[in-house]
Amino acid sequence: MLFKVRPAAKEDCKEISRMIMELSDFEKMTDQVNITHEELERDGFCQNPFFECLVAEVPEEHKSKEGFTVVGYALYFDSYSTWVGRSVFLEDLYVMAEFRGKGIGKGLLSKVAEVGKKKQCVRLQLTVLDWNTPSRDFYAAKGAQDLTASQGSHLLRFDGRDLDNLANEAPED
Amino acid sequence: MLFKVRPAAKEDCKEISRMIMELSDFEKMTDQVNITHEELERDGFCQNPFFECLVAEVPEEHKSKEGFTVVGYALYFDSYSTWVGRSVFLEDLYVMAEFRGKGIGKGLLSKVAEVGKKKQCVRLQLTVLDWNTPSRDFYAAKGAQDLTASQGSHLLRFDGRDLDNLANEAPED
């Protein structure tokens, strides 16, 4: 099937927001999603955007059962390694179920890599859940190293009251 | 001991570079470090910097055995969660061995949280190596959740030839 990968425009945020919900449903964590398309518009399409996004689009004649032509997205941002320098972090990569197995995920991932290389990034990182075998196999087949398995990297998070408490104890300037 | 936490200036990059090497030595991976202070200057002090950095400084009379007054750093950058929005990623947090146990690491971490909150970030994330018990205990005591332990998050990486291969296979615009 023909598909096109292109940079997301502000007008795509409703579609991206819909797919974020679909992905969280797949990951069984919809209760943790608390974002609106207005926030995506504000944070991704401002002066110094917090992220960049690519969308995959199919022609009108191949639209989804529900009538969607934007059928996948890759959302990523600049990051940095103090060992090797410029990096890209891929926050989400998603393709709607009925469009999987057609190379769209690979197209999105490759395009993120290409965009990164153009910015002189030497590394692309992402996280995946251990039970998500299709995704783990997909990335492994393309050469991803699993740093949690190989060197014991653990991902930690502060949020809510814990983050507030930290911030409140910051030393004065 | 009195110490000050302040934003790093371009002139601090030599000191940051020195401490990056010290941290990688502690993590037993000095062979993987390939960055210069010139690259830190270029990437952190440009128009749209790839990272921000705080340094911890002690008064001249408390300088290190080798004569250093910049004794710790926290290097971080903006990131983004498609579930909750603006986030901060803490790439490195380091305090020189002879200055540990004095609240300097806590001061740096709290300041990063404060900077993040000012940008409306609702999350602070980082990675830690599983054998690094002092660091894991330090973060756990301050309320960090371990997402690798609790939900099975694995960190994946593409670099070198694998990243090149991906980029070379990107669909045309």
Side-chain angles (χ1 to χ4, degrees), chain B residues 100-148:
Chain B
R100 290 180 200 153
K102 303 174 192 303
I104 299 179
K106 171 72 189 305
L108 284 163
L109 177 64
S110 297
K111 200 73 188 175
V112 173
E114 188 191 60
V115 171
K117 294 286 293 182
K118 281 186 185 160
K119 290 191 190 185
Q120 299 174 273
C121 294
V122 295
R123 186 180 268 185
L124 189 165
Q125 295 197 145
L126 65 135
T127 61
V128 67
L129 296 172
D130 58 5
W131 56 261
N132 190 353
T133 312
S135 288
R136 293 182 68 180
D137 291 346
F138 168 81
Y139 292 118
K142 283 153 192 64
Q145 307 157 57
D146 183 329
L147 302 182
T148 297

Side-chain angles (χ1 to χ4, degrees), chain A residues 3-5 7 20 23-24 27 29-30 32-35 39-40 42-44 46-51 73 75 77-87 89 91-92 106-111 113-114 117-131 135-136 138-140 142-149 151-160 162-173, chain B residues 3-5 7 20 23-24 27 29-30 32-35 39-40 42-44 46-51 73 75 77-87 89 91-92 106-111 113-114 117-131 135-136 138-140 142-149 151-160 162-173:
Chain A
F3 65 91
K4 199 174 111 177
V5 170
I20 287 170
L23 174 55
S24 72
E27 290 181 322
M29 299 195 251
T30 46
Q32 294 187 36
V33 182
N34 182 22
I35 204 151
E39 286 168 309
L40 294 172
R42 179 196 67 190
D43 294 337
C46 53
Q47 184 84 35
N48 293 307
F50 276 72
F51 64 84
Y73 74 102
L75 189 142
F77 44 80
D78 292 341
S79 68
Y80 204 74
S81 158
T82 50
W83 294 3
V84 298
R86 300 179 182 192
S87 301
F89 193 89
E91 179 69 12
D92 280 355
K106 170 73 188 303
L108 285 163
L109 177 65
S110 296
K111 200 73 188 174
E114 188 190 61
K117 292 288 291 182
K118 281 185 184 160
K119 291 190 192 187
Q120 298 174 272
C121 294
V122 295
R123 186 180 267 185
L124 189 164
Q125 295 197 145
L126 65 136
T127 60
V128 67
L129 296 172
D130 58 4
W131 56 260
S135 288
R136 293 183 68 180
F138 168 82
Y139 292 117
K142 284 152 190 67
Q145 307 156 58
D146 183 329
L147 302 183
T148 298
Q151 65 182 39
S153 292
H154 280 236
L155 181 65
L156 305 190
R157 173 182 297 168
F158 291 95
D159 58 10
D162 297 307
L163 185 62
D164 292 342
N165 288 344
L166 275 183
N168 291 337
E169 291 166 10
E172 292 187 16
D173 290 322
Chain B
F3 64 92
K4 198 173 111 177
V5 171
I20 287 170
L23 174 55
S24 72
E27 290 180 323
M29 299 195 249
T30 45
Q32 293 188 36
V33 182
N34 182 23
I35 203 151
E39 287 168 308
L40 294 172
R42 178 195 69 191
D43 294 336
C46 52
Q47 184 83 33
N48 293 307
F50 276 72
F51 64 84
Y73 74 102
L75 189 143
F77 45 80
D78 292 341
S79 68
Y80 204 73
S81 157
T82 50
W83 294 3
V84 297
R86 300 180 181 192
S87 301
F89 193 88
E91 179 70 11
D92 281 355
K106 171 72 189 305
L108 284 163
L109 177 64
S110 297
K111 200 73 188 175
E114 188 191 60
K117 294 286 293 182
K118 281 186 185 160
K119 290 191 190 185
Q120 299 174 273
C121 294
V122 295
R123 186 180 268 185
L124 189 165
Q125 295 197 145
L126 65 135
T127 61
V128 67
L129 296 172
D130 58 5
W131 56 261
S135 288
R136 293 182 68 180
F138 168 81
Y139 292 118
K142 283 153 192 64
Q145 307 157 57
D146 183 329
L147 302 182
T148 297
Q151 66 182 37
S153 293
H154 280 236
L155 180 65
L156 305 190
R157 173 182 297 168
F158 291 95
D159 58 11
D162 297 307
L163 184 62
D164 292 343
N165 288 344
L166 274 184
N168 290 339
E169 292 166 8
E172 291 187 17
D173 290 322

